[in-house]
Amino acid sequence: MPITLVNPSGLPEIDVYRQVSIATGTKLVFIAGQVAWDAEGITVGEGDLAAQVEQCYLNIGTALAGAGGSFDDVAKLTFYVVDWTPDKMPPLLEGISRAAAKLGTTPVPPATLLGVAALDVPDHLVEIEATAVLG
C-alpha cells in the first residue's frame, strides 16, 4: 500500500482523519470534485447532506477503481460544503460512515473542509475531491 496515514506526536488527534499522509507510490491520481450525481447525472439526496456526502464518496470509490485503486490509496480529500456551519458536522459524518460501510473501508486521509457560497448546481450541497497515490 503506497499510503501510510499517521498522527505525529505534537499534533492533535482528529477522529475523522489523520494529520499526515506519507506517499511512496509511483502514480498520482487526481480525482475531480465529485458531487451527488448517480451514473445518469441525477442528483441523489436532494436537500440531504448525509445522502449527498455518501454519494460523493461512492463516486470517488468508482473513480478510484477506474484508476486501479481504492480508498486505501487516497492521500488527501478536500470538502466543499455549501453554507457551512458546525451543526452540519453530524450529517457530514453520517454520510461518511454510511459510505465507509458500503465501501468496506474507513477512509481517514488528511482532509480540508471549506465552506462555500454555492456549487455548480443549486441542488448540490457538497463536493469532494481526492488525490491518490498508486504503487
Side-chain angles (χ1 to χ4, degrees):
M1 186 170 5
I3 300 294
T4 303
L5 303 175
V6 297
N7 276 322
S9 177
L11 292 177
E13 284 197 30
I14 308 296
D15 291 339
V16 296
Y17 65 86
R18 301 299 175 262
Q19 293 280 13
V20 176
S21 175
I22 302 166
T24 57
T26 57
K27 181 163 83 172
L28 288 175
V29 179
F30 298 92
I31 298 173
Q34 296 298 302
V35 293
W37 276 332
D38 64 12
E40 286 76 44
I42 307 296
T43 299
V44 173
E46 189 174 331
D48 182 343
L49 181 59
Q52 290 199 14
V53 168
E54 179 181 2
Q55 185 64 43
C56 291
Y57 264 75
L58 296 176
N59 291 349
I60 290 169
T62 299
L64 287 164
S70 72
F71 260 97
D72 291 337
D73 302 309
V74 174
K76 174 89 167 50
L77 293 171
T78 303
F79 294 76
Y80 302 90
V81 182
V82 174
D83 297 325
W84 174 258
T85 56
D87 63 315
K88 292 184 179 180
M89 185 60 83
L92 185 132
L93 295 176
E94 178 187 338
I96 293 170
S97 178
R98 292 188 334 212
K102 286 183 178 177
L103 294 165
T105 186
T106 305
V108 292
T112 299
L113 189 153
L114 301 167
V116 296
L119 293 171
D120 63 331
V121 174
D123 291 339
H124 293 162
L125 304 175
V126 61
E127 183 170 330
I128 306 172
E129 64 183 21
T131 303
V133 180
L134 282 62

